[in-house]
Amino acid sequence: MAKEPRPIDQLTIWDDAKAMIRKARAEGIETVHERLDQQTPHCKFCELGTTCRNCTMGPCRVSEKKPRGVCGADADVIVARNFGRFVTGGAAGHSDHGRDLIEVLEAIVEGEAPDYKITEEGKLRTIAGEIGIKEAGRDIMDVAKDVMECFFADFGSRKKEVSFLSRVPQKRKDLWAKLGMTPRGVDREIAEMMHRTHMGCDNDAPNTLIHAARTALADGWGGSMIGTELSDVIFGTPKPRMSTANLGVIKEDQVNILVHGHNPVVSEQILAAARDPELLARAKELGASGINLAGLCCTGNELLMRQGIPMAGNHLMTELAIITGAVEAIVVDYQCIMPSLVQVAGCYHTKFIDTANKARFTGAIHFDFQPRTAMQQAKEIVSIAVEAFAERDAGRVEIPGEPIEIMTGFSNEAVIEALGGSLDPLIQAIVAGDIKGAVGIVGCNNPKIKHDSLNVGLAKELIKRDILVIATGCVTTAAGKAGLLVPGAIEMAGPGLKKVCGSLGIPPVLHYGSCVDNSRIMQLCAALANTLNVDISDLPVGASSPEWYSEKAAAIGLYAVASGIYTHLGHPPNILGSETVTNLAVSGLEDLVGATFFIEPDPVKTADLFEERINAKRKGLGLDK
Ligand code: BF8
Ligand code: SF4
């Protein structure tokens, strides 16, 4: 018998979401929430991480009664292997995204990408200097070629460490070297994890976890960092600007195109094509007053950060955005795109368009999007959306809520500029105790958790305590809708944060970009540590992913911990079936890397723990006087 659907008030904190879930139920459209009900209760073995499917002597499920799989692997080995592969999946995702940016740079250098260019010559030269490439007096295309070669090599097996380790404090690098955690090459660490977790290889749980950390570091200081930096080089370094968020950014009288996924390579071109006079004229002919682009998830974050394009929603809003009935096309690249979107789009006139050969969706309109033909393809895609406007059923349109103002665009470059050219004013504010410390709140939504309740709850709790919050990924929309991303949000902050942010005219929660842009936070922490001549683990900082769901979030969490940052998760990964692995994650890592994970579902208790930790770190730095 089908379960009763859960009451809508329990599912989300947002009125726009509630209105659309109600509409979905009235129209008989299934969403993530009903599917979660169908899937629960989940398999206990899988939840504990004690299922193994790594060979055909199994699958095996171990427990107290049957403690070893057919090959003899125990719960520790099985849990560590599963978690290792889980993290590796995440590192592969964000890093392969980074590789795609190198390929665009390669196409630019080879003259094969007429619609892309090097927008930030200065930043490219700075990066070249950081990774040991001579740039002074050289043509920018020659520099770009060398940077491109160097970054491709960061994915391979011929280096002792990935290039951006030049940013890491020496103490941390020495520690990684001692632990065998130095990331050598992105693809190398990923492949080695797959090797280690084959039957009969790495059968020592702590050893497997060390390599999981190394793989995560290859993402955070390798693939993801390359993705962020080259996106800035090609599309521009973000600068503070205003925009808006929530479903109200969808316009009843316009052709609405949602861009979804992660990579700006496609969506930047869609944005340019949406401004094409011929396409605009055609939209008007069909009765639309314009072409409106809005973002979802991290593709949304990329366009928001650099172009100020409004954000329609985060992960749990993606189905609901289509249910407004006012979306002509949803254009996706890859990652976090629920396959259900094809079915939801099919309930309306909405065209679902995929653009990557490595992320195709059965039932979608497919484009093999290539740098060489980018603008022409983008125009074709926008044209499909424009023509779909004629098919819209006005009777089924319901756009809930008014857009909420947000401030975005806080790259490190922009922050340093706002501070007058160096990090010193920030350090002084921390020393003075006006800013006690900082916590990055990052990552996803998960239908197991009331949508955005923890993302928003934790951010509010931290700023009250004069702890600066940096938001990325799907937390961005949550913070934005809660009114936390505008300068006026200082009214919700403690007195110190209110003073500092008030004088700079910035919000107490800073939008730092997409999930690959967590590398910006790593760079900031490294720069602070280097300025103070301490390790990252000495800083009064923390990281949190309250509503995480994805493999990528696990990789981010692990590279944060391995970099020395105390990291909160709102619920545990599937590791509780092994005491060895669990203890290592929540305490043993402290001795190794100077930081651990902690798991806490309550936002106030989480803020208490962060405050305690930050105070201890302040004391360690002699800032408690
Ligand atoms: O890479 S925050 S739901 S969109 S995984 Fe996905 Fe999570 Fe959103 Fe960004 Ni990040
Ligand atoms: Fe079972 Fe071992 Fe094979 Fe895993 S590797 S399925 S535990 S026999």
Side-chain angles (χ1 to χ4, degrees):
M1 211 181 72
K3 283 189 215 166
E4 273 294 301
R6 282 170 293 155
I8 291 172
D9 276 336
Q10 287 177 17
L11 305 180
T12 176
I13 65 171
W14 304 120
D15 289 340
D16 62 345
K18 286 178 194 170
M20 288 304 100
I21 299 171
R22 225 171 280 129
K23 185 169 187 279
R25 287 185 180 174
E27 295 184 2
I29 299 170
E30 182 189 81
T31 70
V32 65
H33 300 291
E34 289 79 50
R35 289 190 301 273
L36 177 66
D37 290 342
Q38 291 161 23
Q39 289 295 333
T40 46
H42 295 291
C43 165
K44 287 289 161 221
F45 290 94
C46 290
E47 280 185 333
L48 292 169
T50 48
T51 313
C52 183
R53 291 178 295 123
N54 289 12
C55 85
T56 63
M57 293 191 285
C60 302
R61 300 183 305 181
V62 301
S63 60
E64 247 168 57
K65 268 193 227 148
K66 299 171 187 172
R68 288 184 185 271
V70 176
C71 67
D74 63 10
D76 290 343
V77 167
I78 290 173
V79 168
R81 284 197 303 216
N82 288 340
F83 185 62
R85 284 194 174 190
F86 189 78
V87 166
T88 297
H94 274 152
S95 290
D96 201 42
H97 162 168
R99 185 198 331 261
D100 286 339
L101 271 304
I102 314 176
E103 287 188 346
V104 174
L105 184 65
E106 180 182 39
I108 293 172
V109 167
E110 290 175 349
E112 293 283 331
D115 308 314
Y116 299 89
K117 63 178 196 297
I118 294 171
T119 301
E120 298 277 2
E121 186 175 325
K123 178 151 186 171
L124 183 58
R125 288 187 183 275
T126 306
I127 292 168
E130 284 182 288
I131 60 176
I133 288 167
K134 183 175 163 330
E135 54 84 20
R138 293 181 68 203
D139 183 83
I140 194 63
M141 281 300 166
D142 294 334
V143 177
K145 183 166 185 302
D146 287 354
V147 168
M148 177 263 286
E149 300 284 2
C150 178
F151 284 161
F152 270 134
D154 277 346
F155 279 74
S157 306
R158 300 298 297 273
K159 288 193 171 179
K160 296 211 163 45
E161 57 181 56
V162 297
S163 307
F164 277 129
L165 255 50
S166 63
R167 291 177 169 176
V168 177
Q170 192 58 44
K171 280 185 190 165
R172 184 71 12 196
K173 283 187 17 170
D174 292 345
L175 183 65
W176 289 343
K178 198 178 93 193
L179 294 169
M181 224 183 249
T182 305
R184 300 159 296 181
V186 177
D187 290 351
R188 174 176 190 168
E189 309 311 356
I190 289 169
E192 187 172 313
M193 179 56 87
M194 296 310 284
H195 176 194
R196 283 175 182 239
T197 51
H198 187 280
M199 201 303 269
C201 291
D202 201 1
N203 286 297
D204 180 59
N207 201 48
T208 307
L209 289 181
I210 296 272
H211 188 72
R214 173 151 64 175
T215 307
L217 288 171
D219 176 21
W221 296 92
S224 277
M225 199 167 269
I226 290 169
T228 290
E229 297 299 57
L230 290 187
S231 295
D232 283 0
V233 165
I234 296 167
F235 302 113
T237 305
K239 294 180 187 62
R241 64 171 82 223
M242 300 305 293
S243 186
T244 51
N246 81 12
L247 289 185
V249 307
I250 296 171
K251 300 273 171 281
E252 185 153 11
D253 60 342
Q254 298 199 23
V255 172
N256 290 299
I257 302 174
L258 298 179
V259 285
H260 181 12
H262 280 75
N263 195 315
V265 168
V266 174
S267 48
E268 285 273 354
Q269 298 294 331
I270 302 287
L271 173 62
R275 290 168 179 165
D276 178 75
E278 275 176 35
L279 288 165
L280 281 165
R282 177 64 184 152
K284 297 227 162 90
E285 233 174 81
L286 292 171
S289 73
I291 302 174
N292 180 41
L293 204 69
L296 294 167
C297 287
C298 280
T299 286
N301 275 304
E302 298 276 344
L303 284 194
L304 173 63
M305 275 289 271
R306 296 195 185 83
Q307 312 292 355
I309 293 305
M311 188 67 118
N314 54 7
H315 184 52
L316 283 189
M317 297 303 295
T318 57
E319 294 179 310
L320 304 182
I322 299 174
I323 290 167
T324 59
V327 176
E328 276 53 56
I330 176 163
V331 184
V332 307
D333 48 269
Y334 42 56
Q335 296 170 22
C336 299
I337 300 147
M338 290 193 224
S340 65
L341 295 182
V342 179
Q343 282 83 56
V344 179
C347 298
Y348 297 91
H349 69 301
T350 309
K351 308 297 173 199
F352 185 99
I353 301 165
D354 68 30
T355 58
N357 284 346
K358 58 186 150 197
R360 294 194 62 169
F361 292 73
T362 306
I365 301 168
H366 177 63
F367 278 77
D368 176 7
F369 204 89
Q370 295 296 334
R372 202 169 24 82
T373 47
M375 182 43 83
Q376 177 211 323
Q377 288 178 305
K379 282 185 186 169
E380 282 173 43
I381 290 170
V382 173
S383 167
I384 291 172
V386 169
E387 296 304 323
F389 185 78
E391 297 169 34
R392 190 196 284 182
D393 178 352
R396 288 181 72 198
V397 171
E398 180 189 340
I399 302 170
E402 287 299 313
I404 310 266
E405 288 246 297
I406 57 176
M407 193 181 216
T408 174
F410 290 96
S411 57
N412 286 320
E413 289 85 343
V415 168
I416 289 171
E417 198 185 310
L419 292 172
S422 85
L423 288 172
D424 292 347
L426 175 63
I427 292 174
Q428 280 156 23
I430 295 171
V431 170
D434 288 332
I435 298 179
K436 295 241 168 58
V439 172
I441 311 184
V442 314
C444 325
N445 298 133
N446 186 323
K448 293 177 177 175
I449 296 157
K450 187 175 186 177
H451 177 210
D452 284 338
S453 61
L454 302 185
N455 288 336
V456 171
L458 180 60
K460 284 188 173 171
E461 220 23 78
L462 289 172
I463 61 169
K464 251 196 250 171
R465 303 169 191 226
D466 285 334
I467 295 168
L468 179 74
V469 170
I470 292 178
T472 64
C474 284
V475 174
T476 307
T477 312
K481 284 162 83 167
L484 292 166
L485 293 184
V486 281
I490 55 171
E491 296 308 328
M492 293 183 251
L497 203 51
K498 187 173 175 179
K499 186 173 96 185
V500 176
C501 295
S503 74
L504 292 168
I506 59 170
V509 180
L510 301 180
H511 177 221
Y512 246 62
S514 66
C515 290
V516 295
D517 290 342
N518 287 321
S519 60
R520 297 188 200 275
I521 306 179
M522 304 315 293
Q523 188 189 7
L524 177 63
C525 289
L528 284 170
N530 283 330
T531 308
L532 296 169
N533 199 21
V534 297
D535 194 354
I536 296 172
S537 56
D538 298 321
L539 299 173
V541 299
S544 169
S545 195
E547 300 180 26
W548 74 284
Y549 91 89
S550 86
E551 292 171 325
K552 293 177 292 168
I556 292 163
L558 191 53
Y559 75 62
V561 169
S563 298
I565 300 173
Y566 183 55
T567 297
H568 164 250
L569 299 174
H571 64 282
N574 300 323
I575 60 170
L576 299 183
S578 161
E579 242 181 77
T580 307
V581 173
T582 305
N583 288 345
L584 199 61
V586 300
S587 69
L589 279 172
E590 185 76 53
D591 294 333
L592 292 175
V593 296
T596 59
F597 285 105
F598 72 103
I599 315 288
E600 175 53 61
D602 180 82
V604 178
K605 284 186 197 150
T606 302
D608 288 344
L609 288 162
F610 272 129
E611 198 176 10
E612 214 175 277
R613 177 82 172 192
I614 281 170
N615 285 337
K617 292 296 169 188
R618 293 183 61 84
K619 197 168 173 195
L621 290 170
L623 301 180
D624 56 328
K625 308 287 164 348

